[in-house]
Amino acid sequence: MPCYCMLLPHSRQTLYLRQRDSSETDGDYKLLSCALFLQSLADDSCRSSCCVLNADLVLPTLNMPYTITYFAVRGRCGAMKIMLTDQDQEWKEVEISFDDWMKGDLKATCVFGQLPKFQDGDLELVQSNAILRHLGRNHGAYGSNDKEASQIDMMNDGVEDLRLKYVKLIYQEYDTGKDKYIQELSDHLSKFEAVLAKNKAGFLVGNKVSFADYNLFDILLNHQVLCPTCLDKFPALKAFSAMMSARPKIKAFLDSDAWKKLPINGNGKQ
């Protein structure tokens, strides 16, 4: 009879336990799903051999979807939705009209008077980059060590700098500044090109996808609508965009009506 010796959190949707068979040496463990563990508890003979640590884990919270409250645009939620999709996570959406937002009731409940608002159980967050970092921590998309985590923070801040320039163009300078913006875009993209060309794994940092990769991919999608040829001079960025687009869950999501029906920005300009 296998001995179940530890229950520990592995992700927000699944709890894992370590199983050691009598034939295995000490320290040799297998990861099993929580469902298998709970099934085993129904067996009296097995239950007697179970030792559950972290007894304060609350099982009813499993499979609770996240909730995103935002306008009916991609905007600041594009990256997080792409990330959630790729990480096989579910979420609920609460769409807010601009008229309802201007009434002020919801705005008063947001710490900085801004959307998106993100809920993870009893945790409520605003600020899109804080949300991405939270998801990165939750789903193993924050590097493999502290050094990589710091580098990912740095790269994400670089993506935010580019996004702020893009937002200023879209909402303030589109009619008068589009040509100039596109002329200067190569200088901004070249920084990311250099990083990706140096890291042969294909990601911004390390050898696995991070929340900064999802964020960069999202803003590149926006720019490829603004200027379809913007990546032509940047082979590493072009390969990165193609790689992210080809990830099966992302590909299916970008092809879905849920994605396609939403405008990129709130004023119809792109």
Side-chain angles (χ1 to χ4, degrees):
M1 178 63 62
C3 175
Y4 298 93
C5 57
M6 186 177 293
L7 181 67
L8 68 159
H10 181 71
S11 74
R12 74 180 303 276
Q13 284 204 324
T14 307
L15 294 181
Y16 281 76
L17 63 131
R18 294 189 182 276
Q19 176 199 41
R20 187 181 68 213
D21 292 320
S22 58
S23 61
E24 294 175 319
T25 59
D26 288 345
D28 288 336
Y29 296 105
K30 299 176 182 178
L31 288 177
L32 298 177
S33 70
C34 185
L36 180 58
F37 173 65
L38 294 177
Q39 181 181 356
S40 73
L41 289 182
D43 185 329
D44 289 339
S45 62
C46 182
R47 183 166 59 244
S48 64
S49 67
C50 292
C51 175
V52 180
L53 305 181
N54 293 352
D56 59 337
L57 291 173
V58 183
L59 294 179
T61 64
L62 295 179
N63 296 316
M64 287 180 61
Y66 298 118
T67 300
I68 297 173
T69 301
Y70 197 50
F71 308 110
V73 299
R74 297 175 196 172
R76 286 278 184 175
C77 284
M80 71 181 71
K81 289 180 180 180
I82 290 170
M83 180 176 181
L84 287 170
T85 297
D86 195 44
Q87 295 292 328
D88 201 23
Q89 300 298 304
E90 297 179 355
W91 72 91
K92 298 187 297 183
E93 292 192 45
V94 178
E95 287 190 356
I96 301 297
S97 70
F98 290 106
D99 288 341
D100 284 342
W101 175 251
M102 294 308 296
K103 292 177 183 177
D105 295 339
L106 175 60
K107 187 174 185 177
T109 69
C110 299
V111 176
F112 298 105
Q114 298 171 324
L115 294 178
K117 182 170 76 171
F118 182 87
Q119 291 169 274
D120 177 5
D122 60 358
L123 174 65
E124 194 170 283
L125 296 172
V126 294
Q127 297 291 344
S128 59
N129 286 294
I131 295 166
L132 287 175
R133 288 185 171 92
H134 175 70
L135 292 174
R137 284 187 289 268
N138 272 9
H139 301 295
Y142 215 143
S144 300
N145 50 55
D146 288 345
K147 178 182 177 180
E148 287 190 1
S150 295
Q151 292 172 323
I152 289 167
D153 283 335
M154 177 184 71
M155 295 311 303
N156 195 66
D157 285 354
V159 176
E160 175 64 12
D161 287 345
L162 178 57
R163 189 179 294 277
L164 289 175
K165 292 179 175 69
Y166 173 79
V167 169
K168 183 178 180 181
L169 168 72
I170 293 296
Y171 289 100
Q172 299 178 28
E173 301 174 351
Y174 190 87
D175 295 329
T176 60
K178 181 180 176 181
D179 290 343
K180 182 174 185 291
Y181 182 91
I182 292 175
Q183 289 172 4
E184 296 175 350
L185 182 57
S186 290
D187 182 56
H188 304 312
L189 295 180
S190 65
K191 310 301 190 298
F192 298 103
E193 173 72 11
V195 172
L196 287 168
K198 185 177 180 179
N199 185 14
K200 302 304 182 182
F203 302 110
L204 288 170
V205 177
N207 60 5
K208 64 179 182 177
V209 69
S210 74
F211 70 87
D213 292 303
Y214 295 114
N215 204 13
L216 176 61
F217 175 59
D218 176 61
I219 198 64
L220 290 179
L221 290 177
N222 293 356
H223 280 87
Q224 289 175 90
V225 173
L226 178 71
C227 177
T229 61
C230 68
L231 300 185
D232 286 356
K233 295 189 294 184
F234 302 109
L237 270 174
K238 197 167 188 176
F240 169 82
S241 184
M243 175 196 68
M244 295 294 288
S245 296
R247 291 170 75 93
K249 293 183 179 68
I250 292 178
K251 184 178 186 301
F253 181 59
L254 297 184
D255 287 338
S256 71
D257 290 340
W259 177 261
K260 290 181 176 180
K261 73 178 183 180
L262 295 177
I264 298 175
N265 304 300
N267 62 355
K269 297 178 180 179
Q270 55 183 29

